[in-house]
Amino acid sequence: MKIEASKKLPKAGTIEIAPSILSADFARLADEIAVIESAGVKVVHLDVMDGHFVPNITIGPPVIAKLRKYSNLVFDSHLMISEPEKFAERFVEAGADHVTFHIEAANEPKRLIDKLHELGATAGICLNPDTPVDSIKDVAPLCDMVLVMTVHPGFGGQKFILDAAKKIIQVREIVGPDIRIEVDGGIDPQTTPIVVSYGADTLVAGNAIFSKPDRVGAINAIRQAYKEGHNIKRRGTRS
Ligand code: DX5
Ligand code: ZN
């Protein structure tokens, strides 16, 4: 099999919802992803946890490889794992189009970003709520998307941390308008206008979508929330 990610993140300039399957029915993942695809989202967020970097365990490359056969969405894999450089290639091989790793976990982040690009994937760096923005200032401009955590990683359904969200403003100043800023944790119709006004353009939502019987309705409620907030000035973005 050729190792080359094929689907690309939408170019910066649009707001995208990236449903996180963490709160989906893991016994029916392909069906769950088909439903969100029918709602018109372009990206699905796949949370990978190793029980070491975070105190929870989820999925790895074998599950992603199986899902790849059932979906045309951009696979945005969020690696909450130690030593991401050891495993990144296997995720791209399995079908991940975008690979985000944590700045706290990587020894040589620049090298890993280069490697992901060589593999044809896009690259993302992630910042935990307690990690200063300064720690990513050199690598963020090399990425295609920066992920700002608004909960401590490990579990879905946690409370949104407003102080962590405020880091989006600083990250936007560092990366300018052409790099996506993704926000992850406690995103719902109430928190959406806040993070969009700070400059986020890629909204991960797990519990707010998959805890609802009507997943499509839940996605539309988030869309409605950012459309209603559209006259709030979006910092540092082109649109
Ligand atoms: C948490 C994960 C998130 C999680 C978000 O560690 O990275 O992607 O699924 O879940 P909600 O939207 O429920 O906060
Ligand atoms: Zn995530």
Side-chain angles (χ1 to χ4, degrees), residues 20 22 45 47 49 78 80 149 153-157 184-186 204-207:
S20 157
L22 189 59
H45 184 85
D47 285 304
M49 304 186 189
H78 175 192
M80 287 162 274
M149 291 303 300
F155 300 92
D184 186 1
V204 175
N207 197 54

Side-chain angles (χ1 to χ4, degrees), residues 198-209:
Y198 289 165
D201 56 14
T202 311
L203 313 173
V204 175
N207 197 54
I209 295 172

